[in-house]
Amino acid sequence: MSDQIKVAVAGAAGRMGKEVIKLVLEDANLQLVAAVNRSQEGTDAGTLVGLPACGIKLTSDLELALVETKPDVLVDFTTPQFAYPNTALAVSLGIRPVVGTTGFTPEQIEELDKQCQSKGIGGLIAPNFSIGAILMMKFAAQAAKYFPHLEIMEFHGDQKLDAPSGTAIKTAEMIAQNREEIRQGNPKEEETIDGARGGYYNGFRIHSVRLPGVFAQQEVIFGGFGQTLKIRHDSYERAGYMPGVKMAIEKVMSYTGMVYGFDHFIE
């Protein structure tokens, strides 16, 4: 038992939080010590996800839960409004954050990195925990060296709050590292409907589609003389992110500083 990683989950009753609860309860190397959510206080975390009762009750007080249970890792799938204060609180208590919530500014990430360094602990902020999605980003960044003309298309359900997605932004950042800024298209191009060409980033465009019935897909389309290259990843259910979450929980134990992007954990 002493070798188990003690895990607390914030946003435990959310759709991703429930998958994390299930992952931790079913993995012999992990131990659930706290489940935090603003609603459903007192509900057993096991029964919440359709498993036998585990004795861990949902609580709404994150700080009290972290102080009392002393987890090694806090997994946070809440909202941008709460993710930064939750993460800063965890780091101040010497708890390693693994955060799947987007919306952090570069300044916030830099500040959290300094705090992690001072505490001698690691942390991770990851727009996407899908191993396939990370490989898609890496392949796209590599392709951009040879196909500098590109556009990103990302598809999510109509209830997603941010656009473009954190995955699309991270993909664009990785591509920009391998590509000089080139303003694509006809220099006299004019949008007759505002936003028709998508969001502008480093010379290329990002398009966000939001529709009911869609889960999560992203395609990077490259154009060259007489040819196109398309790199696409499709996610069909939240359980597909859990192998990446498990890897993050384990690897963050050996890191120091705040890491931005799950790609750093995949060689």
Side-chain angles (χ1 to χ4, degrees):
M1 293 289 289
S2 61
D3 293 331
Q4 289 182 309
I5 300 173
K6 295 187 293 183
V7 179
V9 180
R15 289 171 293 185
M16 283 296 290
K18 288 179 181 178
E19 292 295 338
V20 177
I21 293 287
K22 191 180 300 183
L23 163 72
V24 175
L25 290 177
E26 293 181 335
D27 193 301
N29 295 322
L30 307 176
Q31 179 189 1
L32 182 69
V33 297
V36 181
N37 204 76
R38 299 180 68 203
S39 61
Q40 302 191 50
E41 189 164 10
T43 303
D44 186 274
T47 59
L48 178 72
V49 299
L51 297 175
C54 65
I56 304 298
K57 306 292 186 181
L58 266 65
T59 177
S60 60
D61 192 326
L62 177 63
E63 183 171 6
L64 182 61
L66 297 182
V67 170
E68 288 185 344
T69 63
K70 297 179 173 58
D72 299 306
V73 174
L74 171 67
V75 179
D76 187 302
F77 281 99
T78 55
T79 64
Q81 178 185 359
F82 298 104
Y84 178 74
N86 289 355
T87 304
L89 172 63
V91 173
S92 72
L93 296 172
I95 299 165
R96 299 162 177 83
V98 170
V99 186
T101 307
T102 56
F104 287 82
T105 66
E107 293 76 20
Q108 288 175 329
I109 295 172
E110 183 179 359
E111 178 59 30
L112 289 168
D113 178 52
K114 292 178 182 177
Q115 294 174 16
C116 283
Q117 296 281 356
S118 67
K119 289 286 185 177
I121 61 173
L124 171 68
I125 297 170
N128 198 314
F129 282 92
S130 167
I131 294 173
I134 298 305
L135 292 175
M136 176 269 297
M137 295 181 203
K138 286 180 172 284
F139 297 157
Q142 181 70 14
K145 296 178 182 178
Y146 308 98
F147 288 86
H149 293 267
L150 65 110
E151 303 215 352
I152 297 175
M153 298 282 297
E154 58 99 349
F155 307 78
H156 284 84
D158 62 342
Q159 297 305 301
K160 185 170 178 59
L161 298 177
D162 55 331
S165 68
T167 299
I169 292 173
K170 180 62 177 175
T171 304
E173 291 171 347
M174 292 173 66
I175 287 171
Q177 294 176 1
N178 288 341
R179 171 189 176 278
E180 295 292 332
E181 181 169 359
I182 302 170
R183 191 176 184 93
Q184 300 174 178
N186 193 310
K188 296 182 180 180
E189 177 183 84
E190 181 180 350
E191 288 183 325
T192 56
I193 297 178
D194 188 41
R197 287 290 292 117
Y200 182 90
Y201 185 94
N202 201 244
F204 56 89
R205 300 286 180 167
I206 303 176
H207 306 266
S208 297
V209 176
R210 298 291 180 264
L211 288 171
V214 177
F215 186 61
Q217 295 89 37
Q218 181 170 292
E219 185 171 50
V220 186
I221 306 169
F222 298 87
F225 292 110
Q227 60 182 319
T228 61
L229 171 66
K230 299 179 180 179
I231 301 174
R232 180 181 175 108
H233 176 262
D234 296 81
S235 291
Y236 301 106
E237 59 179 343
R238 291 174 180 81
Y241 299 121
M242 292 306 106
V245 173
K246 173 179 165 59
M247 182 186 298
I249 292 171
E250 294 172 340
K251 287 204 170 188
V252 79
M253 296 295 294
S254 60
Y255 273 70
T256 300
M258 181 62 73
V259 178
Y260 173 57
F262 186 52
D263 53 291
H264 295 288
F265 286 3
I266 298 180
E267 299 298 332

